[in-house]
Amino acid sequence: MAYRIQPTAQVDESAVVGDGTSVWELAQIREGARLGEGCVIGRGAYIGTGVRLGDNVKVQNYALVYEPARLADGVFIGPAVVLTNDHNPRAVGVDGGRKGASDWEAVGVDIAEGASIGARAVCVAPVRIGRWAMVAAGAVVTKDVPDHALVMGVPARRAGWVGRSGERLKEAGDGLWECPATGERYREPAGGLELA
């Protein structure tokens, strides 16, 4: 199986593109980036230097994934999402001189398996988004998100739990939560949610 890259996309020759991956119009894949198998990179999306994407990752149109972000298998990045990489951004140093690449240390966003980031959400690095978590559209994430958490708002706060289907879980009693779509049950130990 081969990959597909549209003619107007810019893919650096040092980038690795996995089998079955599609890179659409005007997307830019920078030096040393690694895209797994079966990924979809939407129109105008940016994948920074050395960024790592697992298999079957979907990055929608005009999303910005700055280095050193890491996205595990099955991650969804909605349209116009921004994953930042500078904890204290400044164009100039304290002396007034323009800052260069050596004047700061990039910090990344780490997104675990199956997590989804909604349209126009911003994840302010350094943060980790847990497995199968969901960040609502327009949210601003400034703190780590537990596995299966649904977070929303500015700043983002937990508003519930979601299953692997993406459906909001319902309380089932005795500390259990149930997915209305699949019937899967989850329990809530300290700091997150896991399959029961």
Side-chain angles (χ1 to χ4, degrees), residues 40-164:
V40 177
I41 309 301
R43 177 184 176 91
Y46 173 85
I47 307 296
T49 303
V51 166
R52 300 288 188 258
L53 275 59
D55 295 338
N56 302 312
V57 171
K58 189 168 190 176
V59 178
Q60 292 280 43
N61 298 350
Y62 302 105
L64 305 175
V65 180
Y66 291 105
E67 66 277 359
R70 292 181 302 168
L71 285 60
D73 294 347
V75 166
F76 174 85
I77 303 294
V81 164
V82 179
L83 306 182
T84 73
N85 69 350
D86 193 346
H87 197 357
N88 296 304
R90 291 281 192 240
V92 297
V94 293
D95 64 356
R98 185 177 67 190
K99 288 179 82 171
S102 64
D103 294 323
W104 61 284
E105 182 179 339
V107 291
V109 175
D110 183 11
I111 304 179
E113 176 190 16
S116 295
I117 313 297
R120 291 201 179 270
V122 176
C123 295
V124 180
V127 293
R128 180 185 185 277
I129 310 299
R131 295 174 56 247
W132 304 102
M134 184 174 289
V135 174
V140 176
V141 179
T142 59
K143 294 182 179 170
D144 290 352
V145 175
D147 293 351
H148 293 280
L150 167 64
V151 297
M152 55 182 61
V154 179
R157 290 189 169 80
R158 191 175 68 79
W161 299 109
V162 291
R164 293 186 301 173

